[in-house]
Amino acid sequence: MSDNTPTTLLLVDDEPTLREPLAEYLSGQGFAVHEAESAAAARSRLLEIHPDLILLDVMMPGEDGLSLTRHLVETRGTPVILLTARGEATDRIVGLEMGADDYVVKPFEPRELVARIKTVLRRVQSGAPVSAGDNLNYQFEEWQLDPLKQKLTDPDGAAVPISTAEFRMLRAFLDHPREVLDRDRLLDMVQGREAHLFDRAVDNQVSRLRRKIEADSRNPQLILTVRGGGYRLAADVRRIKSEPGN
């Protein structure tokens, strides 16, 4: 996404009476909007387009939005805002724990949704501030993280899909190796003042990250739990130049 290219959205909702006028409104706000009426249709559209953000209804026939969110978090780094008619806090927290970036409860004002979209995109773009050292990759235990491309590479050189939330969490640990980070501090570094998550969500994010980088996520050797304290990255971190073509 560049300054001259409109932000691309994928709007996934099975209700045409909501989806179509909302798509028209968002288009009028300068977004390039693609529509999908189901999770299956969204999966097909994602083979053709690479949206900057996905607006995803939770309650849909067939595969629901939470299942699709899990798939998106595991395979892509695209931010997700959930559209939900559910009022229970637990349901919203589940979506956030899966890696969604925000949620909006139906019915909502379209202007509020636009504000949420801009906030999430701003947070994604500024969540890891670009600095003079960001042309250097992080290296830890033969893993590498490219902070500019948000690309994680395993010891064999294979790219490992990582979500925006997982990237922010991993970078927090890499910026503070061998330091105990409690849940409040992690929330502040990962989500800032806009955090909607609770301690349990931090634990779930760490669990997802462990599944990506640990040989055995049930017996972690890199991200250790500190009883009563939080978590600690038990690895040395170096900054190295990115290899050409990476």
Side-chain angles (χ1 to χ4, degrees):
M1 181 175 60
S2 68
D3 292 340
N4 298 321
T5 304
T7 298
T8 301
L9 306 178
L10 176 60
L11 173 57
V12 187
D13 197 299
D14 64 304
E15 299 180 28
T17 55
L18 181 148
R19 186 184 69 249
E20 293 171 1
L22 181 56
E24 183 177 356
Y25 176 84
L26 292 172
S27 297
Q29 296 298 306
F31 298 104
V33 184
H34 300 267
E35 300 178 47
E37 70 279 5
S38 65
R43 287 174 181 263
S44 296
R45 295 293 282 146
L46 288 169
L47 297 175
E48 306 166 354
I49 64 172
H50 300 281
D52 298 301
L53 185 143
I54 298 172
L55 301 169
L56 180 56
D57 184 29
V58 171
M59 296 295 291
M60 295 185 293
E63 182 182 9
D64 65 21
L66 294 179
S67 174
L68 183 56
T69 296
R70 183 186 297 109
H71 168 74
L72 294 171
V73 167
E74 291 174 351
T75 61
R76 307 173 72 96
T78 310
V80 175
I81 295 179
L82 297 175
L83 310 178
T84 174
R86 294 181 173 180
E88 296 85 353
T90 300
D91 295 317
R92 299 196 294 271
I93 293 170
V94 167
L96 294 169
E97 287 176 345
M98 287 181 175
D101 292 81
D102 203 349
Y103 65 89
V104 180
V105 178
K106 298 178 183 179
F108 52 81
E109 286 287 338
R111 287 179 298 177
E112 177 191 358
L113 179 59
V114 170
R116 295 292 187 95
I117 291 170
K118 292 179 178 179
T119 295
V120 168
L121 290 174
R122 185 167 58 249
R123 188 169 68 216
V124 168
Q125 293 161 7
S126 65
V130 176
S131 67
D134 274 358
N135 61 336
L136 300 176
N137 288 358
Y138 294 87
Q139 184 180 66
F140 62 105
E141 298 292 327
E142 303 306 318
W143 288 78
Q144 285 194 39
L145 180 70
D146 184 329
L148 291 179
K149 298 179 181 178
Q150 298 191 16
K151 178 182 178 182
L152 179 64
T153 307
D154 72 13
D156 294 324
V160 176
I162 186 170
S163 71
T164 300
E166 289 165 349
F167 168 79
R168 293 196 297 262
M169 179 71 73
L170 178 56
R171 183 159 185 185
F173 284 116
L174 295 177
D175 282 335
H176 301 85
R178 302 192 180 278
E179 183 177 342
V180 177
L181 303 177
D182 64 28
R183 292 173 178 83
D184 287 341
R185 190 173 177 194
L186 281 170
L187 275 177
D188 185 62
M189 288 190 289
V190 172
Q191 295 285 357
R193 295 181 180 273
E194 296 155 357
H196 296 290
L197 307 181
F198 298 92
D199 286 355
R200 189 166 61 112
V202 172
D203 296 336
N204 277 275
Q205 286 189 12
V206 170
S207 294
R208 288 200 306 272
L209 189 55
R210 280 172 169 165
R211 288 196 291 270
K212 297 289 179 71
I213 68 173
E214 299 279 4
D216 180 0
S217 62
R218 294 169 298 182
N219 183 30
Q221 302 299 310
L222 292 175
I223 301 178
L224 305 182
T225 301
V226 179
R227 186 177 299 276
Y231 297 96
R232 177 172 65 89
L233 178 69
D236 294 324
V237 178
R238 296 195 303 137
R239 301 301 298 272
I240 63 173
K241 289 184 178 181
S242 175
E243 296 182 4
N246 285 356

